[in-house]
Amino acid sequence: MDQPYVVVLFGATGDLARRKLLPGLLRLFEARLLPDCRVIGTSLEELDGEAFDALARAACEEFGKGDITDERWRHFSKRLRYVPTTAGPHALATLVKECESELAGAGTGEVGRLHYLSVPPKAALDVIHELHEADLVDRAKIIMEKPFGVDLESAKRLNDEVHQVFDEDQVFRIDHFLGKEAAQNILAFRFANGLFEPIWNRNFIDHVQIDVPETLGLEGRTKFYESTGAYRDMVVTHLMQVLAFMAMEPPTTLAPGPIGEEKLKVFRSMRPIDPHDVVRGQYGGYRGKEVVADDSDTETFVALKVEIDNWRWAGVPFYLRTGKKLAEGARIISIAFKEPPLSMFPAGSNAGTQGPDHLTFDLADQSRMSLSFYGKRPGPGMKLEKLSMQFATVDTTSTGLVLEAYERLIHDAMRGDHTLFTSAAGIETLWEKSQPLLDNPPPVRGYAPGSWGPNAIHQLIAPHAWRLPFERVWRDRTNR
């Protein structure tokens, strides 16, 4: 990308900026995907330019890749600026226009603007109005972090207020799950291979699992979680977006418009979420700490069944699960294929005893996938065993080109590519489908930290079984 950019990073001293955004911008700059830029940090912290430079370098040293030598840092450091939020919108506008003049003077073409709102949800609209007051809307794109409302009414209100300042094509609602190589590999895997697209439907697929357990708890984040919970925090903004990639019809082209249309069709085809198909859980020890009441009904875990009522997926359940303080951290999509008639195999052959064939995508930072199937065990007689084929990005010669999720999404936003971002219509449709659950949530059930959630998850998925924690060998093998 040759266009120079002024990037305004709101919340520049926060955790996300330190862990992901500042190291990501350094990586894009060094990869020449952001060849000329100015990065303006702004936050409530009363810092000067030298202090912000030190903070940014410390963040890149701790969370970035490679050693940050003085020589390496010098090139990026020259592009950093800082203005405290307390200085007001006009101080920000002055600094942005100074940076634009510097870049325009270099003769590198029209200067773009990218505003990244790494701020709490309640502060997002204040930033939107600040940008309007500072006259920084023209030629600008904004990246917004989740949550995008907490129900249909609040999502519509948020979108309406954003649209008073920015057009929808300027708004990029980020979901870092979709920025991962593995998530995009779903599109390539489905639509580039004649082997799998013909069987990607209810005639051959029995059920699908999207499983995102986390080992971390909510220490320091309970105030935020008390106003959201696992469903609002993770399912609407992350798991449902992955589900859309899994379930969408082939778009006319792999362009943002057609892909967005097909994702929206999936959301519109979903049946409203039935509270009877949802298990809510809360890990032991969550209540009574920080701002959590002793009778808090906030879920730190949720598992649910989603049904898509269209010709491709009618009758195929999608099981979604996510939660805090679980036994393992993972990001797995697992597709279980229907079993063939097995009557021809003799008793004791093991046919069908180890579950159905699975195609599994691992959405970890290094893209992996596995196909498990039955094969004959070497030796006399017909004894079957489960075999698997694996692919991992680390096995390819292009592994050095892999961008982390935030790096890719920032770059896509600069290019104006909405493919991996969520639209206002998509978010509002998901909240509409969620309303029965939000109106009548089932009670939370306790679960022990380090477990896989409440026992009721097994009744939810019966007669099937959760893929995790079983059959994890394929992921270990790709690390050898």
Side-chain angles (χ1 to χ4, degrees):
M1 185 181 66
D2 296 327
Q3 184 183 18
Y5 258 90
V6 174
V7 179
V8 182
L9 184 54
F10 292 87
T13 60
D15 189 62
L16 178 62
R18 290 176 54 253
R19 288 178 175 272
K20 296 294 183 181
L21 305 183
L22 289 166
L25 289 167
L26 172 62
R27 162 96 160 133
L28 289 173
F29 171 72
E30 292 185 332
R32 299 187 179 182
L33 296 173
L34 184 58
D36 211 353
C37 65
R38 297 293 183 270
V39 177
I40 299 175
T42 182
S43 76
L44 294 173
E45 301 287 335
E46 294 288 341
L47 304 178
D48 58 18
E50 186 176 338
F52 179 62
D53 182 276
L55 181 148
R57 178 168 180 171
C60 292
E61 287 175 340
E62 184 174 359
F63 301 109
K65 295 179 179 177
D67 294 332
I68 306 295
T69 62
D70 290 346
E71 177 64 18
R72 180 184 176 193
W73 185 249
R74 180 173 60 84
H75 298 288
F76 187 60
S77 173
K78 291 189 298 185
R79 289 156 173 82
L80 297 178
R81 305 287 188 275
Y82 187 82
V83 58
T85 306
T86 52
H90 298 295
L92 176 62
T94 299
L95 183 54
V96 168
K97 287 166 186 176
E98 285 177 7
C99 291
E100 289 177 341
S101 296
E102 293 173 12
L103 293 169
T108 50
E110 184 182 48
V111 180
R113 297 168 175 170
L114 179 72
H115 307 308
Y116 198 117
L117 277 57
S118 178
V119 296
K122 291 181 179 178
L125 287 177
D126 292 337
V127 173
I128 297 282
H129 295 306
E130 180 183 349
L131 290 169
H132 183 256
E133 187 177 346
D135 193 25
L136 294 176
V137 175
D138 291 344
R139 308 192 318 277
K141 303 176 179 72
I142 64 165
I143 297 180
M144 298 184 67
E145 284 281 341
K146 68 179 177 76
F148 313 115
V150 294
D151 53 23
L152 179 58
E153 182 181 347
S154 62
K156 284 184 173 180
R157 190 166 57 245
L158 174 63
N159 288 331
D160 288 345
E161 201 158 345
V162 170
H163 291 156
Q164 290 175 19
V165 178
F166 289 94
D167 295 333
E168 176 65 14
D169 63 2
Q170 294 178 278
V171 182
F172 294 79
R173 298 169 188 82
I174 196 167
D175 172 18
H176 68 272
F177 272 51
L178 294 188
K180 296 180 180 296
E181 283 286 337
Q184 296 165 74
N185 225 338
I186 296 170
L187 296 182
F189 196 83
R190 283 189 59 185
F191 301 130
N193 295 296
L195 176 63
F196 286 100
E197 180 54 26
I199 61 172
W200 209 268
N201 56 57
R202 58 187 171 85
N203 295 320
F204 298 94
I205 292 177
D206 185 78
H207 67 279
V208 177
Q209 296 179 34
I210 301 174
D211 207 354
V212 186
E214 297 181 279
T215 57
L216 295 176
L218 288 161
E219 292 76 8
R221 296 185 65 217
T222 50
K223 184 176 180 180
F224 164 71
Y225 234 68
E226 279 295 289
S227 63
T228 53
Y231 184 82
R232 289 180 169 94
D233 180 44
M234 292 291 294
V235 176
V236 173
T237 48
H238 291 325
L239 275 65
M240 291 292 195
Q241 307 302 325
V242 174
L243 181 150
F245 265 35
M246 275 291 311
M248 62 188 277
E249 294 295 320
T252 53
T253 65
L254 287 178
I259 288 177
E261 291 168 7
E262 297 304 334
K263 286 171 59 182
L264 183 55
K265 287 179 185 177
V266 172
F267 299 148
R268 287 175 171 164
S269 299
M270 283 171 43
R271 292 184 179 178
I273 305 299
D274 187 338
H276 293 98
D277 292 333
V278 179
V279 175
R280 298 168 69 234
Q282 186 184 91
Y283 64 75
Y286 174 78
R287 293 179 179 176
K289 294 182 179 179
E290 299 178 38
V291 297
V292 182
D294 291 337
D295 60 350
S296 171
D297 193 46
T298 300
E299 80 276 4
T300 63
F301 170 98
V302 65
L304 63 151
K305 180 171 74 171
V306 176
E307 296 180 280
I308 301 173
D309 202 4
N310 61 20
W311 279 30
R312 182 182 289 265
W313 296 113
V316 178
F318 288 72
Y319 297 102
L320 281 53
R321 176 173 65 169
T322 186
K324 308 296 182 184
K325 285 203 174 181
L326 297 178
E328 179 183 341
R331 295 161 183 168
I332 298 294
I333 302 170
S334 186
I335 300 150
F337 292 97
K338 291 186 175 179
E339 296 189 58
L342 299 173
S343 56
M344 61 180 286
F345 291 94
S349 66
N350 293 331
T353 58
Q354 298 180 53
D357 299 343
H358 280 91
L359 175 65
T360 307
F361 295 88
D362 186 340
L363 301 188
D365 290 333
Q366 289 288 356
S367 171
R368 298 175 187 143
M369 64 179 69
S370 168
L371 179 64
S372 71
F373 53 91
Y374 286 97
K376 183 184 178 298
R377 181 183 299 169
M382 180 57 74
K383 283 277 190 179
L384 304 182
E385 62 182 354
K386 245 334 177 31
L387 308 173
S388 65
M389 294 187 294
Q390 296 95 27
F391 159 82
T393 306
V394 293
D395 295 333
T396 73
T397 57
S398 302
T399 183
L401 303 177
V402 174
L403 293 176
E404 289 195 359
Y406 280 99
E407 296 165 0
R408 175 180 301 280
L409 292 168
I410 290 171
H411 185 242
D412 283 355
M414 289 176 174
R415 296 188 299 115
D417 186 341
H418 279 84
T419 302
L420 303 177
F421 295 87
T422 306
S423 69
I427 283 293
E428 290 177 12
T429 301
L430 285 173
W431 284 125
E432 182 182 358
K433 301 294 185 178
S434 303
Q435 205 60 49
L437 172 62
L438 301 180
D439 290 341
N440 186 29
V444 293
R445 302 167 184 261
Y447 65 94
S451 69
W452 286 98
N455 289 332
I457 60 170
H458 302 298
Q459 287 78 52
L460 174 69
I461 202 171
H464 315 298
W466 291 100
R467 187 84 197 280
L468 290 175
F470 310 109
E471 298 185 43
R472 291 176 292 177
V473 175
W474 64 272
R475 282 187 293 137
D476 297 332
R477 286 177 183 168
T478 57
N479 284 324
R480 290 179 182 173

PDB file of all heavy atoms in Angstrom, residues 338-356:
ATOM      1  N   LYS A 338     -21.453 -37.213   8.638  1.00  0.00           N
ATOM      2  CA  LYS A 338     -22.366 -38.330   8.884  1.00  0.00           C
ATOM      3  C   LYS A 338     -21.660 -39.652   8.617  1.00  0.00           C
ATOM      4  O   LYS A 338     -20.820 -39.760   7.725  1.00  0.00           O
ATOM      5  CB  LYS A 338     -23.605 -38.193   8.005  1.00  0.00           C
ATOM      6  CG  LYS A 338     -24.495 -37.030   8.422  1.00  0.00           C
ATOM      7  CD  LYS A 338     -25.786 -37.013   7.625  1.00  0.00           C
ATOM      8  CE  LYS A 338     -26.712 -35.903   8.150  1.00  0.00           C
ATOM      9  NZ  LYS A 338     -27.980 -35.832   7.387  1.00  0.00           N
ATOM     10  N   GLU A 339     -22.029 -40.646   9.410  1.00  0.00           N
ATOM     11  CA  GLU A 339     -21.399 -41.950   9.270  1.00  0.00           C
ATOM     12  C   GLU A 339     -22.116 -42.777   8.201  1.00  0.00           C
ATOM     13  O   GLU A 339     -23.347 -42.746   8.095  1.00  0.00           O
ATOM     14  CB  GLU A 339     -21.418 -42.697  10.593  1.00  0.00           C
ATOM     15  CG  GLU A 339     -20.593 -42.012  11.675  1.00  0.00           C
ATOM     16  CD  GLU A 339     -20.453 -42.876  12.911  1.00  0.00           C
ATOM     17  OE1 GLU A 339     -19.939 -43.994  12.760  1.00  0.00           O
ATOM     18  OE2 GLU A 339     -20.873 -42.444  13.989  1.00  0.00           O
ATOM     19  N   PRO A 340     -21.361 -43.555   7.431  1.00  0.00           N
ATOM     20  CA  PRO A 340     -21.981 -44.447   6.448  1.00  0.00           C
ATOM     21  C   PRO A 340     -22.543 -45.681   7.151  1.00  0.00           C
ATOM     22  O   PRO A 340     -22.244 -45.925   8.324  1.00  0.00           O
ATOM     23  CB  PRO A 340     -20.807 -44.829   5.549  1.00  0.00           C
ATOM     24  CG  PRO A 340     -19.622 -44.787   6.463  1.00  0.00           C
ATOM     25  CD  PRO A 340     -19.897 -43.636   7.414  1.00  0.00           C
ATOM     26  N   PRO A 341     -23.336 -46.480   6.453  1.00  0.00           N
ATOM     27  CA  PRO A 341     -23.772 -47.759   7.040  1.00  0.00           C
ATOM     28  C   PRO A 341     -22.543 -48.626   7.327  1.00  0.00           C
ATOM     29  O   PRO A 341     -21.661 -48.770   6.488  1.00  0.00           O
ATOM     30  CB  PRO A 341     -24.642 -48.379   5.939  1.00  0.00           C
ATOM     31  CG  PRO A 341     -25.048 -47.235   5.072  1.00  0.00           C
ATOM     32  CD  PRO A 341     -23.922 -46.259   5.113  1.00  0.00           C
ATOM     33  N   LEU A 342     -22.488 -49.181   8.533  1.00  0.00           N
ATOM     34  CA  LEU A 342     -21.297 -49.925   8.927  1.00  0.00           C
ATOM     35  C   LEU A 342     -21.564 -51.419   9.102  1.00  0.00           C
ATOM     36  O   LEU A 342     -20.741 -52.140   9.661  1.00  0.00           O
ATOM     37  CB  LEU A 342     -20.755 -49.346  10.247  1.00  0.00           C
ATOM     38  CG  LEU A 342     -20.340 -47.871  10.195  1.00  0.00           C
ATOM     39  CD1 LEU A 342     -19.984 -47.376  11.591  1.00  0.00           C
ATOM     40  CD2 LEU A 342     -19.160 -47.688   9.255  1.00  0.00           C
ATOM     41  N   SER A 343     -22.716 -51.889   8.625  1.00  0.00           N
ATOM     42  CA  SER A 343     -23.107 -53.281   8.874  1.00  0.00           C
ATOM     43  C   SER A 343     -22.186 -54.280   8.192  1.00  0.00           C
ATOM     44  O   SER A 343     -22.125 -55.448   8.591  1.00  0.00           O
ATOM     45  CB  SER A 343     -24.552 -53.505   8.411  1.00  0.00           C
ATOM     46  OG  SER A 343     -24.689 -53.156   7.048  1.00  0.00           O
ATOM     47  N   MET A 344     -21.465 -53.851   7.145  1.00  0.00           N
ATOM     48  CA  MET A 344     -20.588 -54.782   6.431  1.00  0.00           C
ATOM     49  C   MET A 344     -19.352 -55.161   7.253  1.00  0.00           C
ATOM     50  O   MET A 344     -18.724 -56.183   7.000  1.00  0.00           O
ATOM     51  CB  MET A 344     -20.125 -54.166   5.103  1.00  0.00           C
ATOM     52  CG  MET A 344     -19.338 -52.877   5.280  1.00  0.00           C
ATOM     53  SD  MET A 344     -18.788 -52.153   3.724  1.00  0.00           S
ATOM     54  CE  MET A 344     -17.470 -53.261   3.288  1.00  0.00           C
ATOM     55  N   PHE A 345     -19.009 -54.350   8.265  1.00  0.00           N
ATOM     56  CA  PHE A 345     -17.806 -54.618   9.035  1.00  0.00           C
ATOM     57  C   PHE A 345     -18.103 -55.632  10.139  1.00  0.00           C
ATOM     58  O   PHE A 345     -19.138 -55.559  10.804  1.00  0.00           O
ATOM     59  CB  PHE A 345     -17.248 -53.326   9.635  1.00  0.00           C
ATOM     60  CG  PHE A 345     -16.678 -52.397   8.601  1.00  0.00           C
ATOM     61  CD1 PHE A 345     -17.466 -51.385   8.056  1.00  0.00           C
ATOM     62  CD2 PHE A 345     -15.373 -52.545   8.150  1.00  0.00           C
ATOM     63  CE1 PHE A 345     -16.952 -50.536   7.099  1.00  0.00           C
ATOM     64  CE2 PHE A 345     -14.856 -51.692   7.193  1.00  0.00           C
ATOM     65  CZ  PHE A 345     -15.643 -50.688   6.659  1.00  0.00           C
ATOM     66  N   PRO A 346     -17.200 -56.569  10.367  1.00  0.00           N
ATOM     67  CA  PRO A 346     -17.454 -57.624  11.364  1.00  0.00           C
ATOM     68  C   PRO A 346     -17.411 -57.058  12.785  1.00  0.00           C
ATOM     69  O   PRO A 346     -16.824 -56.008  13.047  1.00  0.00           O
ATOM     70  CB  PRO A 346     -16.317 -58.611  11.132  1.00  0.00           C
ATOM     71  CG  PRO A 346     -15.213 -57.784  10.538  1.00  0.00           C
ATOM     72  CD  PRO A 346     -15.906 -56.753   9.686  1.00  0.00           C
ATOM     73  N   ALA A 347     -18.029 -57.790  13.706  1.00  0.00           N
ATOM     74  CA  ALA A 347     -17.974 -57.410  15.122  1.00  0.00           C
ATOM     75  C   ALA A 347     -16.516 -57.368  15.580  1.00  0.00           C
ATOM     76  O   ALA A 347     -15.704 -58.216  15.193  1.00  0.00           O
ATOM     77  CB  ALA A 347     -18.763 -58.408  15.957  1.00  0.00           C
ATOM     78  N   GLY A 348     -16.190 -56.353  16.386  1.00  0.00           N
ATOM     79  CA  GLY A 348     -14.823 -56.225  16.867  1.00  0.00           C
ATOM     80  C   GLY A 348     -13.901 -55.495  15.927  1.00  0.00           C
ATOM     81  O   GLY A 348     -12.699 -55.402  16.193  1.00  0.00           O
ATOM     82  N   SER A 349     -14.433 -54.941  14.830  1.00  0.00           N
ATOM     83  CA  SER A 349     -13.573 -54.245  13.870  1.00  0.00           C
ATOM     84  C   SER A 349     -13.245 -52.820  14.311  1.00  0.00           C
ATOM     85  O   SER A 349     -12.398 -52.164  13.705  1.00  0.00           O
ATOM     86  CB  SER A 349     -14.266 -54.197  12.507  1.00  0.00           C
ATOM     87  OG  SER A 349     -15.429 -53.384  12.580  1.00  0.00           O
ATOM     88  N   ASN A 350     -13.968 -52.322  15.300  1.00  0.00           N
ATOM     89  CA  ASN A 350     -13.836 -50.937  15.785  1.00  0.00           C
ATOM     90  C   ASN A 350     -14.502 -49.915  14.885  1.00  0.00           C
ATOM     91  O   ASN A 350     -14.355 -48.704  15.108  1.00  0.00           O
ATOM     92  CB  ASN A 350     -12.361 -50.537  15.994  1.00  0.00           C
ATOM     93  CG  ASN A 350     -11.707 -51.304  17.112  1.00  0.00           C
ATOM     94  OD1 ASN A 350     -12.370 -51.713  18.060  1.00  0.00           O
ATOM     95  ND2 ASN A 350     -10.397 -51.508  17.008  1.00  0.00           N
ATOM     96  N   ALA A 351     -15.243 -50.350  13.883  1.00  0.00           N
ATOM     97  CA  ALA A 351     -15.914 -49.409  12.987  1.00  0.00           C
ATOM     98  C   ALA A 351     -16.898 -48.547  13.770  1.00  0.00           C
ATOM     99  O   ALA A 351     -17.761 -49.060  14.478  1.00  0.00           O
ATOM    100  CB  ALA A 351     -16.644 -50.155  11.879  1.00  0.00           C
ATOM    101  N   GLY A 352     -16.734 -47.244  13.680  1.00  0.00           N
ATOM    102  CA  GLY A 352     -17.652 -46.312  14.320  1.00  0.00           C
ATOM    103  C   GLY A 352     -17.469 -46.132  15.803  1.00  0.00           C
ATOM    104  O   GLY A 352     -18.183 -45.334  16.419  1.00  0.00           O
ATOM    105  N   THR A 353     -16.507 -46.834  16.400  1.00  0.00           N
ATOM    106  CA  THR A 353     -16.378 -46.773  17.865  1.00  0.00           C
ATOM    107  C   THR A 353     -15.646 -45.523  18.349  1.00  0.00           C
ATOM    108  O   THR A 353     -15.699 -45.198  19.532  1.00  0.00           O
ATOM    109  CB  THR A 353     -15.618 -48.009  18.389  1.00  0.00           C
ATOM    110  OG1 THR A 353     -14.329 -48.060  17.764  1.00  0.00           O
ATOM    111  CG2 THR A 353     -16.395 -49.284  18.083  1.00  0.00           C
ATOM    112  N   GLN A 354     -14.945 -44.850  17.461  1.00  0.00           N
ATOM    113  CA  GLN A 354     -14.186 -43.667  17.857  1.00  0.00           C
ATOM    114  C   GLN A 354     -14.782 -42.385  17.291  1.00  0.00           C
ATOM    115  O   GLN A 354     -14.090 -41.409  17.069  1.00  0.00           O
ATOM    116  CB  GLN A 354     -12.716 -43.812  17.421  1.00  0.00           C
ATOM    117  CG  GLN A 354     -12.024 -45.001  18.086  1.00  0.00           C
ATOM    118  CD  GLN A 354     -10.577 -45.118  17.628  1.00  0.00           C
ATOM    119  OE1 GLN A 354      -9.811 -44.172  17.707  1.00  0.00           O
ATOM    120  NE2 GLN A 354     -10.222 -46.306  17.143  1.00  0.00           N
ATOM    121  N   GLY A 355     -16.083 -42.405  17.115  1.00  0.00           N
ATOM    122  CA  GLY A 355     -16.769 -41.208  16.656  1.00  0.00           C
ATOM    123  C   GLY A 355     -16.685 -41.019  15.159  1.00  0.00           C
ATOM    124  O   GLY A 355     -15.991 -41.752  14.452  1.00  0.00           O
ATOM    125  N   PRO A 356     -17.414 -40.026  14.641  1.00  0.00           N
ATOM    126  CA  PRO A 356     -17.446 -39.808  13.201  1.00  0.00           C
ATOM    127  C   PRO A 356     -16.155 -39.183  12.684  1.00  0.00           C
ATOM    128  O   PRO A 356     -15.294 -38.744  13.463  1.00  0.00           O
ATOM    129  CB  PRO A 356     -18.619 -38.836  13.035  1.00  0.00           C
ATOM    130  CG  PRO A 356     -18.664 -38.083  14.331  1.00  0.00           C
ATOM    131  CD  PRO A 356     -18.260 -39.069  15.379  1.00  0.00           C
TER     132      PRO A 356
END
